[in-house]
Amino acid sequence: MSLGLVKNIVIVGGGTAGWMTAAAMSALISNGCKIRLVESDEISTIGVGEATIPVIRGFNQLIGVDENEFLRQTQGTFKLGIEFVNWSKQGESYIHGFGVIGRDQLLAKFYQYWLKLYQAGKAPGVEHYSINTMAASMNKFMRAASDSGDSPLSDISHAFHFDAGLYAKYLRGLSEARGVRRTEGRIVDTVLRADDGFVEAIVMENGERIEGDLFVDCSGFRGLLIEGALKTGYEDWSHWLPCDRAIAVPCESVSPLLPYTRATAHDAGWQWRIPLQHRIGNGHVYSSKFMEPEQAESILMNNLDGKPLAQPRHLKFTTGKRKRAWNKNVVAIGLAGGFMEPLESTSIHLVQTGITRLLMMFPHLGYDQADIDSFNEATDNEYVAIRDFLILHYKLNAREGKPFWDYCRNMEIPATLQRRMDLYRSNGRIVRASDELFTETSWLQVMHGQGLRAKGYHPLVDQRSEADIAAFLANVKDVVLRCAEHMPTHEEYIASCCAA
Ligand code: FAD
């Protein structure tokens, strides 16, 4: 891609966001443009982003990363979905598996046929029709088989768990080899142009001035340029997503190696469990209004599967997003742009879409407000859709008698989300925009998994007899089960990918 007027790009920050940006830009941008990344060894990265969603595979392909090499470099494992434990009632669990469920028909989506029989008490849970969920529950894994025709084996949809610190290190190697210049040191000031307030330069502790045409702010929660220099403002969503603290601690691995993330609800939040090859990543996300840090830490430490490998690390955050992700000549990517808790592993995805959107709207002819507005509108829509999906998990809890969960169950929710829940409850309809991240099957699994029951189903389903639908569903269930049984264990599959 030709860069036109942008000759110097400065990336501020070398966490996952900074190095993903550097890797993508250095892979896709040419024409003598200089890319410089500035990071401070004294200011640590967040580095706990370890669980992802399937779209990361497209990003890795875009920047030329081989999947097996990526697994070796990052101690990665495969992820088929997320298990939610105790989110509805204590003792109940469900899996939100990636990918399709059953086979959609010309007349109606698969889940509409399932709804009809499920409502009549003649079909088991929806998980039986998902290859991802069935494989996950059996600790099985393989990549989608491209040569298996109409078999569910071609439907397997995977993401990864990985060590975010190792990923950033790996991307740094790739980026530097492609000409990205890294500068280590602390940024202490920002110089704004007098006429239009654009950022002209950043100033390092040693007095060096680094000028740029475009600044990508990847400085983490600080938002050094987007907030510190440009005072863009932040939209706070903590009344809908009240968790504002996290404690992270790795522990020793245990067998079997699960091919999914686990999210277990506790009294004022939830705990993540992310299995990597060399350790398990754990963390407790909680609300400081409802729990003290000491209690939150003790819950986490008492619920580890292996011996802790480090001291627990306490983090604070405010859920929400920057009012404008792109302001003047600064684009905020990663935590500098906003943060929503890792319940559905969406932060690294937002980094990725921020980068690809910036490349699509690149200001090669200079800064145009229409481009900037369009970038910001798309970013806002993306954040809002993910936000609603996360709120759904909290709103639909049945953990009665726990103040945090009572608050979440009774809170007012965005009208956009209320409408989606109402549509599903009345007719089993799931309505979403075509470019939204989470699919109908994602919404179905979470709404149903958290106990929301549809009263109806699509009337076109009635064009087929009940016996015909029953035979169709039974066949899908049977084939999915046999395919999952046929797959290797997750551990076996990882070993085959990582063999030299
Ligand atoms: P950071 O990692 O904070 O990096 C900031 C960089 O800016 C650092 O290099 C720092 O040195 C530099 N910097 C800052 N100030 C200065 C300065 N003055 N001078 C020079 N350099 C400076 N995402 C997922 O996708 N999946 C998950 O499972 C997941 N779990 C998470 C759990 C928690 C509790 C949190 C908080 C986040 C999680 N995330 C997850 C998000 C993920 O960790 C981040 O989106 C990702 O790591 C990107 O972070 P970042 O690069 O924006 O910021």
Side-chain angles (χ1 to χ4, degrees):
M1 183 166 97
S2 161
L3 283 175
L5 296 174
V6 177
K7 302 281 184 219
N8 285 300
I9 300 175
V10 179
I11 300 167
V12 172
T16 318
W19 284 114
M20 282 175 77
T21 306
M25 289 194 160
S26 59
L28 300 171
I29 284 176
S30 54
N31 221 20
C33 174
K34 294 194 184 103
I35 304 173
R36 194 157 172 187
L37 184 144
V38 183
E39 65 177 322
S40 165
D41 287 344
E42 286 166 18
I43 304 173
S44 59
T45 61
I46 285 288
V48 286
E50 300 184 318
T52 54
I53 52 179
V55 263
I56 186 153
R57 283 168 23 226
F59 182 79
N60 280 343
Q61 263 171 17
L62 192 75
I63 60 170
V65 169
D66 170 77
E67 202 169 289
N68 286 352
E69 177 63 9
F70 162 78
L71 285 169
R72 279 192 287 269
Q73 293 285 344
T74 65
Q75 295 284 340
T77 65
F78 292 99
K79 173 177 171 186
L80 290 166
I82 305 172
E83 182 186 33
F84 291 93
V85 179
N86 299 335
W87 278 77
S88 178
K89 287 196 179 109
Q90 191 71 23
E92 288 182 0
S93 68
Y94 67 95
I95 291 181
H96 166 200
F98 303 133
V100 300
I101 294 186
R103 278 280 180 276
D104 289 345
Q105 304 291 290
L106 271 181
L107 284 177
K109 296 281 170 76
F110 176 86
Y111 70 86
Q112 295 293 343
Y113 293 91
W114 168 76
L115 275 177
K116 172 170 174 156
L117 260 66
Y118 183 82
Q119 286 161 8
K122 294 177 180 170
V126 72
E127 64 277 10
H128 291 275
Y129 308 93
S130 154
I131 183 71
N132 267 51
T133 301
M134 290 311 287
S137 62
M138 297 158 88
N139 293 327
K140 299 291 193 86
F141 181 80
M142 63 184 265
R143 292 185 178 107
S146 52
D147 56 355
S148 59
D150 197 31
S151 151
L153 291 177
S154 62
D155 294 337
I156 299 163
S157 174
H158 72 271
F160 309 101
H161 305 116
F162 60 81
D163 182 324
L166 293 177
Y167 185 48
K169 193 170 153 204
Y170 177 51
L171 295 183
R172 174 179 163 185
L174 288 182
S175 307
E176 288 185 319
R178 292 172 184 156
V180 173
R181 179 173 165 205
R182 172 183 183 265
T183 301
E184 194 285 318
R186 186 185 278 264
I187 301 161
V188 290
D189 202 4
T190 311
V191 182
L192 302 185
R193 281 197 316 232
D195 52 347
D196 56 9
F198 276 45
V199 173
E200 187 173 283
I202 49 173
V203 182
M204 307 298 295
E205 203 167 29
N206 65 7
E208 186 188 1
R209 234 176 99 99
I210 299 176
E211 296 187 354
D213 304 309
L214 170 68
F215 290 83
V216 188
D217 188 348
C218 299
S219 62
F221 288 131
R222 287 173 186 79
L224 220 53
L225 304 188
I226 196 81
E227 198 57 51
L230 297 183
K231 311 275 180 269
T232 303
Y234 195 79
E235 229 173 278
D236 182 340
W237 289 338
S238 45
H239 49 297
W240 287 316
L241 291 166
C243 289
D244 58 354
R245 299 280 190 278
I247 311 171
V249 69
C251 75
E252 281 176 347
S253 285
V254 292
S255 205
L257 190 62
L258 304 182
Y260 55 90
T261 306
R262 179 175 289 145
T264 305
H266 290 313
D267 282 358
W270 61 279
Q271 177 172 343
W272 78 73
R273 180 195 190 279
I274 299 178
L276 307 183
Q277 291 179 46
H278 61 322
R279 59 170 169 79
I280 300 172
N282 308 278
H284 186 185
V285 177
Y286 67 100
S287 168
S288 63
K289 279 201 194 121
F290 293 87
M291 190 173 276
E292 294 300 322
E294 299 72 29
Q295 192 189 353
E297 184 177 314
S298 110
I299 289 174
L300 175 64
M301 300 311 273
N302 288 330
N303 285 285
L304 301 180
D305 286 342
K307 215 170 97 196
L309 295 172
Q311 286 301 315
R313 186 171 164 211
H314 289 247
L315 300 158
K316 291 182 185 172
F317 57 85
T318 305
T319 295
K321 65 164 194 57
R322 210 61 66 188
K323 285 190 175 147
R324 278 169 293 159
W326 184 342
N327 189 2
K328 301 185 188 288
N329 60 340
V330 174
V331 179
I333 290 185
L335 300 173
F339 180 63
M340 289 179 277
E341 57 182 270
L343 190 55
E344 287 281 354
S345 319
T346 42
S347 288
I348 289 175
H349 168 77
L350 287 166
V351 169
Q352 175 184 333
T353 51
I355 295 168
T356 45
R357 193 171 294 129
L358 173 58
L359 290 172
M360 278 170 65
M361 312 290 289
F362 204 82
H364 61 292
L365 296 178
Y367 289 96
D368 182 311
Q369 197 56 43
D371 281 346
I372 296 177
D373 291 346
S374 169
F375 179 98
N376 286 335
E377 191 183 320
T379 307
D380 288 353
N381 291 342
E382 186 175 39
Y383 264 82
V384 165
I386 294 174
R387 177 201 72 189
D388 282 4
F389 190 55
L390 298 187
I391 297 171
L392 177 76
H393 298 64
Y394 285 97
K395 176 71 182 171
L396 286 178
N397 84 80
R399 297 175 60 87
E400 290 185 15
K402 303 279 180 200
F404 169 80
W405 295 99
D406 289 345
Y407 167 82
C408 293
R409 199 172 46 260
N410 295 319
M411 70 186 164
E412 289 254 338
I413 55 174
T416 40
L417 173 59
Q418 188 62 56
R419 195 164 52 244
R420 285 188 204 239
M421 287 167 51
D422 292 346
L423 278 165
Y424 180 71
R425 188 182 285 113
S426 52
N427 292 305
R429 284 192 227 285
I430 301 173
V431 179
R432 57 183 282 285
S434 57
D435 58 351
E436 257 178 49
L437 175 61
F438 289 104
T439 60
E440 281 177 57
T441 53
S442 288
W443 280 86
L444 171 75
Q445 290 171 87
V446 175
M447 287 194 286
H448 185 81
Q450 302 262 153
L452 185 64
R453 292 292 174 262
K455 291 193 199 105
Y457 56 86
H458 201 286
L460 280 175
V461 161
D462 288 332
Q463 300 234 343
R464 285 171 75 171
S465 71
E466 195 177 295
D468 187 24
I469 298 172
F472 165 53
L473 261 62
N475 182 47
V476 172
K477 177 172 169 286
D478 180 50
V479 175
V480 164
L481 179 65
R482 280 191 285 122
C483 285
E485 284 170 347
H486 157 89
M487 290 160 65
T489 66
H490 184 212
E491 235 154 297
E492 286 165 350
Y493 199 85
I494 293 268
S496 70
C497 293
C498 292

